[in-house]
């Protein structure tokens, strides 16, 4: 799916904690609306981590393909291949070795595509906003309050 794109863009705009919460909530709502089975909370943990990792590495940074390599690698290895494989083995009761090979191939294909698509969407949105003399955050401020201010200590 393309759910990583809004998560990455949200992380760039609002930072790690807000993006993690948004991704977990989006996972839960998506399961409620479109889910075809029993809810499994492990996937919400994974989605939180995806949002958090993107936000940690991309928030208030110049987004380039080089800057996307590390968070995308961490997400691919630790979240998609690690945690999500664990969740699937617990949920379906199958051995990790039975599902890991296919997941490795899928993630090797998706890794460069996800970097390319995040950059493509980010650059398109950024150039439109720059042309219209808006800041990147302006596109969501009307719809989403800045969650990061809620978590300051």
């Amino acid at each position: 799916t393309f759910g990583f794109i809004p998560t990455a863009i949200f992380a760039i705009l609002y930072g790690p904690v807000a993006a993690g919460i948004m991704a977990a909530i989006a996972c839960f709502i998506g399961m409620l609306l479109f889910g075809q089975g029993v809810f499994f909370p492990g996937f919400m943990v994974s989605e939180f981590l995806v949002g958090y990792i993107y936000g940690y590495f991309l928030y208030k940074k110049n987004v380039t393909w080089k800057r996307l390599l590390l968070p995308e690698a961490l997400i691919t290895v630790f979240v998609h291949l690690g945690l999500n494989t664990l969740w699937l083995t617990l949920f379906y009761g199958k051995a990790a070795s039975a599902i890991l090979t296919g997941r490795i191939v899928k993630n090797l294909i998706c890794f460069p595509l996800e970097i390319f698509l995040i950059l493509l969407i980010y650059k398109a949105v950024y150039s439109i906003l720059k042309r219209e003399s808006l800041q990147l955050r302006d596109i969501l401020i009307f719809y989403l309050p800045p969650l990061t201010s809620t978590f300051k200590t």
Side-chain angles (χ1 to χ4, degrees), residues 123-145:
K123 299 243 182 227
V125 169
Y126 183 78
S127 68
I128 291 168
L129 294 175
K130 190 174 180 182
R131 184 180 60 215
E132 299 296 325
S133 299
L134 297 171
Q135 293 181 9
L136 190 56
R137 288 182 65 112
D138 292 340
I139 61 169
L140 293 178
I141 286 179
F142 179 73
Y143 301 104
L144 300 167

mmCIF file of all heavy atoms in Angstrom, residues 123-145:
data_model
loop_
_atom_site.group_PDB
_atom_site.id
_atom_site.type_symbol
_atom_site.label_atom_id
_atom_site.label_comp_id
_atom_site.label_asym_id
_atom_site.label_seq_id
_atom_site.Cartn_x
_atom_site.Cartn_y
_atom_site.Cartn_z
ATOM 1 N N LYS A 123 8.760 16.631 -3.017
ATOM 2 C CA LYS A 123 9.259 17.693 -3.903
ATOM 3 C C LYS A 123 8.113 18.366 -4.651
ATOM 4 O O LYS A 123 8.130 19.587 -4.845
ATOM 5 C CB LYS A 123 10.288 17.139 -4.881
ATOM 6 C CG LYS A 123 11.498 16.561 -4.184
ATOM 7 C CD LYS A 123 12.733 17.302 -4.535
ATOM 8 C CE LYS A 123 13.910 16.631 -3.840
ATOM 9 N NZ LYS A 123 14.763 17.543 -3.200
ATOM 10 N N ALA A 124 7.108 17.608 -5.069
ATOM 11 C CA ALA A 124 5.960 18.192 -5.771
ATOM 12 C C ALA A 124 5.187 19.126 -4.848
ATOM 13 O O ALA A 124 4.862 20.260 -5.222
ATOM 14 C CB ALA A 124 5.044 17.090 -6.293
ATOM 15 N N VAL A 125 4.904 18.674 -3.644
ATOM 16 C CA VAL A 125 4.181 19.507 -2.676
ATOM 17 C C VAL A 125 5.009 20.735 -2.323
ATOM 18 O O VAL A 125 4.497 21.860 -2.296
ATOM 19 C CB VAL A 125 3.835 18.689 -1.407
ATOM 20 C CG1 VAL A 125 3.327 19.583 -0.290
ATOM 21 C CG2 VAL A 125 2.815 17.618 -1.731
ATOM 22 N N TYR A 126 6.292 20.539 -2.089
ATOM 23 C CA TYR A 126 7.175 21.643 -1.717
ATOM 24 C C TYR A 126 7.248 22.695 -2.829
ATOM 25 O O TYR A 126 7.187 23.898 -2.571
ATOM 26 C CB TYR A 126 8.565 21.106 -1.387
ATOM 27 C CG TYR A 126 9.519 22.177 -0.912
ATOM 28 C CD1 TYR A 126 9.449 22.662 0.384
ATOM 29 C CD2 TYR A 126 10.479 22.702 -1.763
ATOM 30 C CE1 TYR A 126 10.317 23.644 0.827
ATOM 31 C CE2 TYR A 126 11.347 23.685 -1.334
ATOM 32 C CZ TYR A 126 11.262 24.158 -0.041
ATOM 33 O OH TYR A 126 12.120 25.134 0.393
ATOM 34 N N SER A 127 7.369 22.266 -4.075
ATOM 35 C CA SER A 127 7.478 23.230 -5.173
ATOM 36 C C SER A 127 6.182 24.005 -5.379
ATOM 37 O O SER A 127 6.214 25.208 -5.663
ATOM 38 C CB SER A 127 7.892 22.533 -6.470
ATOM 39 O OG SER A 127 6.874 21.686 -6.937
ATOM 40 N N ILE A 128 5.038 23.352 -5.210
ATOM 41 C CA ILE A 128 3.757 24.055 -5.328
ATOM 42 C C ILE A 128 3.629 25.093 -4.224
ATOM 43 O O ILE A 128 3.240 26.233 -4.466
ATOM 44 C CB ILE A 128 2.578 23.061 -5.289
ATOM 45 C CG1 ILE A 128 2.568 22.217 -6.554
ATOM 46 C CG2 ILE A 128 1.248 23.787 -5.097
ATOM 47 C CD1 ILE A 128 1.634 21.027 -6.496
ATOM 48 N N LEU A 129 3.970 24.703 -3.017
ATOM 49 C CA LEU A 129 3.864 25.631 -1.893
ATOM 50 C C LEU A 129 4.845 26.787 -2.026
ATOM 51 O O LEU A 129 4.520 27.930 -1.693
ATOM 52 C CB LEU A 129 4.100 24.893 -0.574
ATOM 53 C CG LEU A 129 3.032 23.872 -0.224
ATOM 54 C CD1 LEU A 129 3.419 23.112 1.031
ATOM 55 C CD2 LEU A 129 1.686 24.519 -0.066
ATOM 56 N N LYS A 130 6.033 26.499 -2.519
ATOM 57 C CA LYS A 130 7.019 27.556 -2.719
ATOM 58 C C LYS A 130 6.526 28.551 -3.771
ATOM 59 O O LYS A 130 6.656 29.762 -3.602
ATOM 60 C CB LYS A 130 8.349 26.942 -3.142
ATOM 61 C CG LYS A 130 9.492 27.906 -3.152
ATOM 62 C CD LYS A 130 10.786 27.170 -3.438
ATOM 63 C CE LYS A 130 11.935 28.153 -3.443
ATOM 64 N NZ LYS A 130 13.191 27.492 -3.760
ATOM 65 N N ARG A 131 5.942 28.029 -4.839
ATOM 66 C CA ARG A 131 5.415 28.885 -5.894
ATOM 67 C C ARG A 131 4.265 29.751 -5.376
ATOM 68 O O ARG A 131 4.109 30.896 -5.757
ATOM 69 C CB ARG A 131 4.937 28.026 -7.064
ATOM 70 C CG ARG A 131 4.460 28.838 -8.259
ATOM 71 C CD ARG A 131 4.001 27.964 -9.390
ATOM 72 N NE ARG A 131 2.903 27.132 -8.929
ATOM 73 C CZ ARG A 131 2.676 25.880 -9.322
ATOM 74 N NH1 ARG A 131 3.492 25.308 -10.170
ATOM 75 N NH2 ARG A 131 1.656 25.200 -8.863
ATOM 76 N N GLU A 132 3.481 29.204 -4.457
ATOM 77 C CA GLU A 132 2.348 29.930 -3.883
ATOM 78 C C GLU A 132 2.737 30.725 -2.645
ATOM 79 O O GLU A 132 1.874 31.261 -1.959
ATOM 80 C CB GLU A 132 1.222 28.943 -3.526
ATOM 81 C CG GLU A 132 0.675 28.167 -4.700
ATOM 82 C CD GLU A 132 -0.001 29.054 -5.724
ATOM 83 O OE1 GLU A 132 -0.635 30.052 -5.332
ATOM 84 O OE2 GLU A 132 0.124 28.749 -6.927
ATOM 85 N N SER A 133 4.008 30.749 -2.322
ATOM 86 C CA SER A 133 4.552 31.476 -1.162
ATOM 87 C C SER A 133 3.960 30.986 0.159
ATOM 88 O O SER A 133 3.641 31.765 1.051
ATOM 89 C CB SER A 133 4.322 32.979 -1.302
ATOM 90 O OG SER A 133 4.982 33.466 -2.441
ATOM 91 N N LEU A 134 3.804 29.682 0.281
ATOM 92 C CA LEU A 134 3.331 29.063 1.522
ATOM 93 C C LEU A 134 4.462 28.227 2.098
ATOM 94 O O LEU A 134 5.379 27.817 1.401
ATOM 95 C CB LEU A 134 2.127 28.160 1.248
ATOM 96 C CG LEU A 134 0.881 28.826 0.702
ATOM 97 C CD1 LEU A 134 -0.123 27.766 0.292
ATOM 98 C CD2 LEU A 134 0.270 29.741 1.742
ATOM 99 N N GLN A 135 4.357 27.935 3.379
ATOM 100 C CA GLN A 135 5.303 27.024 3.997
ATOM 101 C C GLN A 135 4.696 25.634 3.968
ATOM 102 O O GLN A 135 3.475 25.468 3.898
ATOM 103 C CB GLN A 135 5.595 27.439 5.430
ATOM 104 C CG GLN A 135 6.347 28.754 5.516
ATOM 105 C CD GLN A 135 6.650 29.116 6.955
ATOM 106 O OE1 GLN A 135 6.456 28.329 7.862
ATOM 107 N NE2 GLN A 135 7.147 30.324 7.139
ATOM 108 N N LEU A 136 5.543 24.627 4.055
ATOM 109 C CA LEU A 136 5.065 23.246 3.982
ATOM 110 C C LEU A 136 4.028 22.945 5.049
ATOM 111 O O LEU A 136 3.044 22.267 4.801
ATOM 112 C CB LEU A 136 6.250 22.290 4.093
ATOM 113 C CG LEU A 136 5.981 20.830 3.794
ATOM 114 C CD1 LEU A 136 5.379 20.668 2.407
ATOM 115 C CD2 LEU A 136 7.249 20.031 3.891
ATOM 116 N N ARG A 137 4.198 23.485 6.245
ATOM 117 C CA ARG A 137 3.241 23.219 7.325
ATOM 118 C C ARG A 137 1.873 23.834 7.051
ATOM 119 O O ARG A 137 0.878 23.389 7.579
ATOM 120 C CB ARG A 137 3.777 23.751 8.650
ATOM 121 C CG ARG A 137 4.916 22.945 9.205
ATOM 122 C CD ARG A 137 5.340 23.516 10.526
ATOM 123 N NE ARG A 137 4.290 23.376 11.502
ATOM 124 C CZ ARG A 137 4.341 22.581 12.562
ATOM 125 N NH1 ARG A 137 5.395 21.857 12.752
ATOM 126 N NH2 ARG A 137 3.363 22.528 13.408
ATOM 127 N N ASP A 138 1.805 24.892 6.220
ATOM 128 C CA ASP A 138 0.551 25.584 5.970
ATOM 129 C C ASP A 138 -0.523 24.692 5.362
ATOM 130 O O ASP A 138 -1.704 24.954 5.524
ATOM 131 C CB ASP A 138 0.763 26.798 5.050
ATOM 132 C CG ASP A 138 1.553 27.897 5.727
ATOM 133 O OD1 ASP A 138 1.603 27.904 6.980
ATOM 134 O OD2 ASP A 138 2.123 28.732 5.008
ATOM 135 N N ILE A 139 -0.145 23.629 4.666
ATOM 136 C CA ILE A 139 -1.151 22.797 4.013
ATOM 137 C C ILE A 139 -1.958 21.990 5.017
ATOM 138 O O ILE A 139 -3.075 21.607 4.743
ATOM 139 C CB ILE A 139 -0.541 21.855 2.960
ATOM 140 C CG1 ILE A 139 0.455 20.888 3.582
ATOM 141 C CG2 ILE A 139 0.055 22.636 1.818
ATOM 142 C CD1 ILE A 139 0.882 19.777 2.665
ATOM 143 N N LEU A 140 -1.413 21.731 6.196
ATOM 144 C CA LEU A 140 -2.127 20.915 7.174
ATOM 145 C C LEU A 140 -2.576 21.684 8.409
ATOM 146 O O LEU A 140 -3.336 21.159 9.200
ATOM 147 C CB LEU A 140 -1.266 19.732 7.612
ATOM 148 C CG LEU A 140 -0.981 18.688 6.549
ATOM 149 C CD1 LEU A 140 -0.072 17.611 7.101
ATOM 150 C CD2 LEU A 140 -2.257 18.072 6.036
ATOM 151 N N ILE A 141 -2.111 22.897 8.579
ATOM 152 C CA ILE A 141 -2.448 23.632 9.799
ATOM 153 C C ILE A 141 -3.951 23.826 9.934
ATOM 154 O O ILE A 141 -4.498 23.713 11.020
ATOM 155 C CB ILE A 141 -1.689 24.975 9.859
ATOM 156 C CG1 ILE A 141 -0.236 24.697 10.192
ATOM 157 C CG2 ILE A 141 -2.310 25.921 10.873
ATOM 158 C CD1 ILE A 141 0.641 25.910 10.263
ATOM 159 N N PHE A 142 -4.635 24.069 8.836
ATOM 160 C CA PHE A 142 -6.085 24.255 8.905
ATOM 161 C C PHE A 142 -6.783 22.985 9.359
ATOM 162 O O PHE A 142 -7.750 23.020 10.096
ATOM 163 C CB PHE A 142 -6.623 24.690 7.530
ATOM 164 C CG PHE A 142 -8.108 24.886 7.528
ATOM 165 C CD1 PHE A 142 -8.676 25.982 8.152
ATOM 166 C CD2 PHE A 142 -8.937 23.965 6.921
ATOM 167 C CE1 PHE A 142 -10.042 26.164 8.169
ATOM 168 C CE2 PHE A 142 -10.305 24.141 6.930
ATOM 169 C CZ PHE A 142 -10.859 25.248 7.548
ATOM 170 N N TYR A 143 -6.283 21.838 8.946
ATOM 171 C CA TYR A 143 -6.940 20.567 9.230
ATOM 172 C C TYR A 143 -6.425 19.872 10.475
ATOM 173 O O TYR A 143 -7.166 19.177 11.151
ATOM 174 C CB TYR A 143 -6.770 19.623 8.035
ATOM 175 C CG TYR A 143 -7.348 20.180 6.778
ATOM 176 C CD1 TYR A 143 -6.518 20.702 5.792
ATOM 177 C CD2 TYR A 143 -8.714 20.230 6.585
ATOM 178 C CE1 TYR A 143 -7.041 21.241 4.636
ATOM 179 C CE2 TYR A 143 -9.246 20.768 5.429
ATOM 180 C CZ TYR A 143 -8.413 21.270 4.455
ATOM 181 O OH TYR A 143 -8.926 21.804 3.322
ATOM 182 N N LEU A 144 -5.146 20.037 10.795
ATOM 183 C CA LEU A 144 -4.558 19.298 11.894
ATOM 184 C C LEU A 144 -3.836 20.229 12.856
ATOM 185 O O LEU A 144 -2.938 20.947 12.454
ATOM 186 C CB LEU A 144 -3.561 18.272 11.360
ATOM 187 C CG LEU A 144 -4.141 17.231 10.405
ATOM 188 C CD1 LEU A 144 -3.016 16.486 9.717
ATOM 189 C CD2 LEU A 144 -5.049 16.287 11.126
ATOM 190 N N PRO A 145 -4.196 20.211 14.114
ATOM 191 C CA PRO A 145 -3.465 21.053 15.075
ATOM 192 C C PRO A 145 -2.068 20.516 15.276
ATOM 193 O O PRO A 145 -1.816 19.328 15.097
ATOM 194 C CB PRO A 145 -4.293 20.898 16.358
ATOM 195 C CG PRO A 145 -4.989 19.591 16.219
ATOM 196 C CD PRO A 145 -5.243 19.406 14.749
#
